[in-house]
Short mmCIF file of all heavy atoms in Angstrom, two decimals:
data_model
loop_
_atom_site.label_atom_id
_atom_site.label_comp_id
_atom_site.label_asym_id
_atom_site.label_seq_id
_atom_site.Cartn_x
_atom_site.Cartn_y
_atom_site.Cartn_z
N THR A 228 144.62 100.70 54.52
CA THR A 228 145.08 102.02 54.05
C THR A 228 144.14 102.58 53.00
O THR A 228 143.77 103.78 53.05
CB THR A 228 146.50 101.89 53.47
OG1 THR A 228 147.39 101.41 54.49
CG2 THR A 228 147.00 103.24 52.97
N ASN A 229 143.73 101.74 52.07
CA ASN A 229 142.79 102.20 51.03
C ASN A 229 141.45 102.58 51.62
O ASN A 229 140.80 103.55 51.18
CB ASN A 229 142.62 101.12 49.97
CG ASN A 229 143.84 100.96 49.09
OD1 ASN A 229 144.66 101.88 48.99
ND2 ASN A 229 143.99 99.80 48.47
N ALA A 230 140.99 101.82 52.64
CA ALA A 230 139.71 102.13 53.28
C ALA A 230 139.77 103.48 53.99
O ALA A 230 138.79 104.22 54.03
CB ALA A 230 139.33 101.03 54.25
N LEU A 231 140.95 103.82 54.56
CA LEU A 231 141.12 105.10 55.23
C LEU A 231 141.18 106.27 54.24
O LEU A 231 140.75 107.37 54.55
CB LEU A 231 142.40 105.08 56.07
CG LEU A 231 142.32 104.37 57.43
CD1 LEU A 231 143.72 104.17 58.00
CD2 LEU A 231 141.47 105.17 58.41
N LYS A 232 141.71 106.00 53.05
CA LYS A 232 141.88 107.07 52.07
C LYS A 232 140.66 107.26 51.16
O LYS A 232 140.27 108.38 50.83
CB LYS A 232 143.10 106.79 51.20
CG LYS A 232 144.43 106.96 51.92
CD LYS A 232 145.58 106.74 50.96
CE LYS A 232 146.92 107.01 51.63
NZ LYS A 232 148.05 106.82 50.69
N TYR A 233 140.06 106.13 50.76
CA TYR A 233 139.02 106.21 49.73
C TYR A 233 137.72 105.50 50.10
O TYR A 233 136.70 105.74 49.47
CB TYR A 233 139.52 105.60 48.41
CG TYR A 233 140.92 106.00 48.04
CD1 TYR A 233 141.96 105.08 48.08
CD2 TYR A 233 141.21 107.30 47.64
CE1 TYR A 233 143.26 105.44 47.72
CE2 TYR A 233 142.49 107.67 47.28
CZ TYR A 233 143.52 106.74 47.32
OH TYR A 233 144.79 107.11 46.97
N GLY A 234 137.76 104.62 51.08
CA GLY A 234 136.63 103.74 51.30
C GLY A 234 135.81 104.03 52.54
O GLY A 234 135.63 105.18 52.94
N ALA A 235 135.35 102.96 53.19
CA ALA A 235 134.37 103.07 54.27
C ALA A 235 134.90 103.84 55.47
O ALA A 235 134.12 104.47 56.20
CB ALA A 235 133.93 101.67 54.70
N LEU A 236 136.20 103.82 55.71
CA LEU A 236 136.74 104.49 56.90
C LEU A 236 136.94 105.98 56.70
O LEU A 236 137.43 106.67 57.60
CB LEU A 236 138.06 103.82 57.31
CG LEU A 236 137.97 102.33 57.66
CD1 LEU A 236 139.31 101.80 58.14
CD2 LEU A 236 136.89 102.06 58.71
N THR A 237 136.53 106.50 55.55
CA THR A 237 136.60 107.95 55.33
C THR A 237 135.39 108.67 55.89
O THR A 237 135.39 109.90 56.00
CB THR A 237 136.72 108.27 53.82
OG1 THR A 237 135.55 107.77 53.15
CG2 THR A 237 137.97 107.65 53.22
N VAL A 238 134.32 107.95 56.24
CA VAL A 238 133.12 108.56 56.78
C VAL A 238 132.85 108.03 58.18
O VAL A 238 133.29 106.93 58.55
CB VAL A 238 131.89 108.28 55.86
CG1 VAL A 238 132.12 108.90 54.50
CG2 VAL A 238 131.65 106.78 55.73
N ALA A 239 132.11 108.80 58.96
CA ALA A 239 131.92 108.47 60.37
C ALA A 239 131.22 107.14 60.58
O ALA A 239 131.57 106.39 61.48
CB ALA A 239 131.13 109.59 61.05
N GLY A 240 130.22 106.83 59.76
CA GLY A 240 129.46 105.60 59.97
C GLY A 240 129.99 104.39 59.25
O GLY A 240 129.42 103.29 59.38
N GLY A 241 131.06 104.54 58.50
CA GLY A 241 131.59 103.42 57.73
C GLY A 241 132.30 102.40 58.60
O GLY A 241 132.86 102.72 59.64
N ARG A 242 132.25 101.18 58.17
CA ARG A 242 132.91 100.12 58.92
C ARG A 242 133.37 99.02 57.97
O ARG A 242 132.99 98.99 56.79
CB ARG A 242 131.98 99.53 59.99
CG ARG A 242 130.67 99.00 59.46
CD ARG A 242 129.69 98.69 60.58
NE ARG A 242 128.40 98.23 60.09
CZ ARG A 242 128.12 96.96 59.84
NH1 ARG A 242 129.04 96.02 60.06
NH2 ARG A 242 126.93 96.61 59.39
N VAL A 243 134.18 98.10 58.51
CA VAL A 243 134.74 97.00 57.73
C VAL A 243 134.41 95.69 58.41
O VAL A 243 134.61 95.54 59.62
CB VAL A 243 136.26 97.14 57.57
CG1 VAL A 243 136.84 95.92 56.84
CG2 VAL A 243 136.62 98.42 56.81
N SER A 244 133.88 94.76 57.65
CA SER A 244 133.59 93.42 58.15
C SER A 244 134.63 92.45 57.57
O SER A 244 134.81 92.39 56.35
CB SER A 244 132.18 92.98 57.74
OG SER A 244 131.98 91.60 58.00
N ILE A 245 135.29 91.70 58.45
CA ILE A 245 136.25 90.69 58.03
C ILE A 245 135.75 89.35 58.53
O ILE A 245 135.63 89.13 59.74
CB ILE A 245 137.65 90.98 58.60
CG1 ILE A 245 138.13 92.36 58.15
CG2 ILE A 245 138.66 89.92 58.19
CD1 ILE A 245 139.39 92.82 58.85
N THR A 246 135.44 88.48 57.60
CA THR A 246 134.91 87.17 57.96
C THR A 246 135.63 86.08 57.17
O THR A 246 136.15 86.33 56.08
CB THR A 246 133.40 87.07 57.68
OG1 THR A 246 133.17 87.28 56.28
CG2 THR A 246 132.62 88.11 58.47
N TRP A 247 135.65 84.90 57.71
CA TRP A 247 136.12 83.74 56.96
C TRP A 247 135.31 82.52 57.37
O TRP A 247 134.86 82.40 58.50
CB TRP A 247 137.62 83.51 57.14
CG TRP A 247 138.05 83.20 58.54
CD1 TRP A 247 138.22 81.98 59.12
CD2 TRP A 247 138.37 84.16 59.57
NE1 TRP A 247 138.62 82.10 60.42
CE2 TRP A 247 138.74 83.42 60.72
CE3 TRP A 247 138.39 85.55 59.62
CZ2 TRP A 247 139.10 84.05 61.91
CZ3 TRP A 247 138.76 86.17 60.80
CH2 TRP A 247 139.11 85.43 61.92
N THR A 248 135.11 81.66 56.42
CA THR A 248 134.30 80.47 56.63
C THR A 248 134.96 79.28 55.93
O THR A 248 135.86 79.44 55.11
CB THR A 248 132.88 80.66 56.06
OG1 THR A 248 132.97 80.98 54.66
CG2 THR A 248 132.13 81.76 56.79
N VAL A 249 134.48 78.11 56.28
CA VAL A 249 134.86 76.89 55.57
C VAL A 249 133.63 76.38 54.85
O VAL A 249 132.61 76.07 55.48
CB VAL A 249 135.41 75.83 56.54
CG1 VAL A 249 135.68 74.52 55.79
CG2 VAL A 249 136.67 76.32 57.23
N GLU A 250 133.69 76.35 53.53
CA GLU A 250 132.56 75.92 52.72
C GLU A 250 132.87 74.59 52.05
O GLU A 250 133.97 74.39 51.54
CB GLU A 250 132.24 76.98 51.65
CG GLU A 250 131.84 78.33 52.23
CD GLU A 250 131.49 79.34 51.15
OE1 GLU A 250 131.56 78.98 49.95
OE2 GLU A 250 131.17 80.50 51.50
N HIS A 251 131.91 73.71 52.10
CA HIS A 251 132.08 72.39 51.50
C HIS A 251 131.40 72.39 50.13
O HIS A 251 130.18 72.56 50.03
CB HIS A 251 131.49 71.31 52.41
CG HIS A 251 132.07 71.32 53.80
ND1 HIS A 251 133.34 70.85 54.08
CD2 HIS A 251 131.57 71.80 54.97
CE1 HIS A 251 133.58 71.02 55.37
NE2 HIS A 251 132.52 71.59 55.94
N GLN A 252 132.19 72.21 49.08
CA GLN A 252 131.65 72.27 47.73
C GLN A 252 132.52 71.44 46.79
O GLN A 252 133.72 71.30 46.99
CB GLN A 252 131.61 73.71 47.23
CG GLN A 252 132.91 74.48 47.42
CD GLN A 252 132.83 75.92 47.00
OE1 GLN A 252 132.96 76.22 45.83
NE2 GLN A 252 132.62 76.81 47.97
N ASP A 253 131.87 70.87 45.79
CA ASP A 253 132.57 70.09 44.76
C ASP A 253 133.44 68.99 45.36
O ASP A 253 134.56 68.72 44.89
CB ASP A 253 133.43 71.01 43.88
CG ASP A 253 132.60 72.09 43.19
OD1 ASP A 253 131.43 71.81 42.88
OD2 ASP A 253 133.13 73.19 42.99
N GLY A 254 132.96 68.35 46.41
CA GLY A 254 133.68 67.25 47.00
C GLY A 254 134.88 67.64 47.83
O GLY A 254 135.66 66.79 48.26
#
Side-chain angles (χ1 to χ4, degrees):
T228 300
N229 288 338
L231 281 168
K232 288 184 176 181
Y233 316 110
L236 300 183
T237 61
V238 298
R242 56 191 178 88
V243 175
S244 169
I245 302 171
T246 61
W247 62 94
T248 57
V249 175
E250 298 182 1
H251 304 285
Q252 50 183 278
D253 301 328

